């Protein structure tokens, strides 16, 4: 495949935008080469500026559950835009989306819309601190909750991809209030709580991690966290930026049967437009301004275009809950196909999957936390990524990201992807690649 125009655009972008991108993982630094510039997308496919068609496995990092440019979402945005784009005043559609989200997600009475998952997690923690009167939080190595200061401590996703899980610029004062535990290690959490008795406001976690690849919590781990939080009066915050409205109508809480005290959402709740949200019981949310003293605000919060996209997508998911099962089936098909291709080839690998999230790790060790995820062989990952890209398959350009399947993917697309992997295997083994049909 030819990516000449993408490379030329990247060169130009680098003159005016740091690293040529507005979010680091997009720069392909973890895999080498130049990023692909998108021209447009429809359904399961991306079309780049060089005229290539790519089967998309990132779905804008999660939100495009129905596929790209889904008609009811696009029409809702167009119709709304004709009536004005931003008012900084209340609109009815904010309540409509809030009401629908509250009806779909367990354990929440009220929701506050913001503009990104970063803002949602940052604000949720502020509210947790204001509500409990305590200052420390526990987060898990490899979990990513956006780029606000408190969370850039052993953060996953782009931060760890570029070797800066603890970013310069985060003060020691801020860092000391974030305690770090290992994912799936309940004893470690117990020890932290004991050592910081009465000081921990919240534990924040991706209930299914998507920022160190896809990492699945053990049943006893999440149950244990719930029990510890209840016992020590710590708020359990589920960061459902990726899992919310994706693993089921009610997200990971519903699928895994664990109740959170607060939930954060991101891109999904805006149907792919810039939205985030945080939600909890009325009792907790009443501490938020203007009802209570914990401040949070934003001109673009509840923006009508974003609300209309979110409402159209959530309405569709609410009316067609069979989508979640169908997505999980498609993901299982991909898993099985990848397994069939890779087994007995002498390539160490692990596949983690839950619902429509999946990741492939080139390691012998089961991937259960950040440490085991980091054991993946990045040289093999690079060959895999570029081999697949050359066959028209767009995967996350970092081994520390999950893939997100969308409803527009057909079984033929999945089979094309599995066939592409078959062709890439010799490259993974260090052999000469077979000539591609494309
Ligand atoms: N690392 C982000 C997803 N986990 C990437 C976001 C982006 O580049 O858009």
């Amino acid at each position: 495949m030819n990516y000449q125009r993408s490379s030329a655009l990247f060169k130009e972008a680098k003159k005016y935008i740091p690293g040529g991108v507005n979010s680091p993982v997009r720069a392909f630094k973890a895999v080498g080469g130049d990023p692909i510039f998108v021209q447009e997308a429809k359904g399961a496919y991306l079309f780049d500026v060089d005229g290539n068609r790519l089967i998309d496995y990132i779905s804008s990092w999660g939100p495009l559950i129905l596929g790209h440019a889904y008609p009811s979402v696009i029409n809702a945005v167009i119709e709304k835009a004709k009536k004005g784009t931003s008012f900084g005043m209340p609109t009815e559609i904010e309540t409509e989306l809030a009401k629908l989200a509250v009806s779909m997600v367990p354990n929440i009475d009220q929701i506050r819309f913001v503009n990104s998952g970063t803002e949602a997690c940052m604000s949720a923690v502020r509210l947790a601190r204001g509500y409990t009167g305590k200052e420390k939080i526990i987060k898990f190595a490899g979990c990513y909750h956006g780029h606000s200061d408190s969370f850039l401590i052993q953060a996953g996703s782009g931060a760890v991809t570029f070797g800066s899980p603890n970013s310069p610029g985060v003060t020691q004062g801020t860092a000391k209030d974030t305690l770090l535990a290992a994912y799936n290690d309940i004893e470690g959490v117990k020890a932290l709580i004991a050592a910081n008795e009465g000081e921990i406001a919240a534990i924040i976690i991706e209930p299914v991690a998507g920022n160190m690849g896809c990492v699945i919590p053990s049943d006893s781990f999440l149950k244990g966290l719930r029990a510890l939080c209840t016992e020590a009066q710590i708020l359990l915050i589920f960061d459902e930026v990726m899992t919310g409205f994706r693993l089921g109508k009610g997200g990971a809480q519903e699928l895994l049967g664990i109740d959170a005290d607060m939930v954060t959402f991101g891109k999904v709740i805006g149907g792919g437009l810039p939205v985030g949200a945080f939600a909890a019981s009325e009792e907790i949310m009443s501490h938020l301004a203007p009802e209570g003293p914990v401040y949070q605000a934003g001109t673009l919060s509840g923006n009508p275009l974003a609300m209309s996209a979110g409402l159209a997508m959530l309405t569709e998911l609410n009316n067609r809950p069979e989508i979640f099962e169908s997505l999980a089936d498609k993901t299982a098909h991909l898993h099985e196909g990848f397994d069939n291709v890779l087994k007995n080839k002498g390539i160490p690998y692990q596949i983690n999957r839950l619902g429509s999230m999946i990741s492939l790790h080139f390691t012998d060790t089961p991937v259960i936390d950040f440490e085991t995820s980091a054991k993946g062989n990045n040289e093999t990952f690079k060959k895999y990524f570029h081999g697949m890209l050359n066959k028209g398959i767009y995967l996350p350009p970092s081994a520390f990201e999950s893939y997100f399947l969308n409803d527009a993917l057909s079984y033929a697309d999945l089979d094309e992807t599995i066939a592409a992997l078959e062709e890439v295997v010799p490259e993974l083994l260090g052999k000469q690649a077979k000539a591609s049909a494309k």
Side-chain angles (χ1 to χ4, degrees), residues 23 25-26 61 157-158 211 242 401:
S23 188
V25 172
R26 298 178 197 176
W61 301 102
S157 187
N211 286 295
M242 289 175 169
E401 304 281 358

Side-chain angles (χ1 to χ4, degrees), residues 386-404:
H386 281 292
M388 296 297 273
L389 183 60
N390 282 329
K391 294 183 178 3
I393 314 296
Y394 193 78
L395 302 171
S398 158
F400 291 109
E401 304 281 358
S402 174
Y403 316 176
F404 300 97

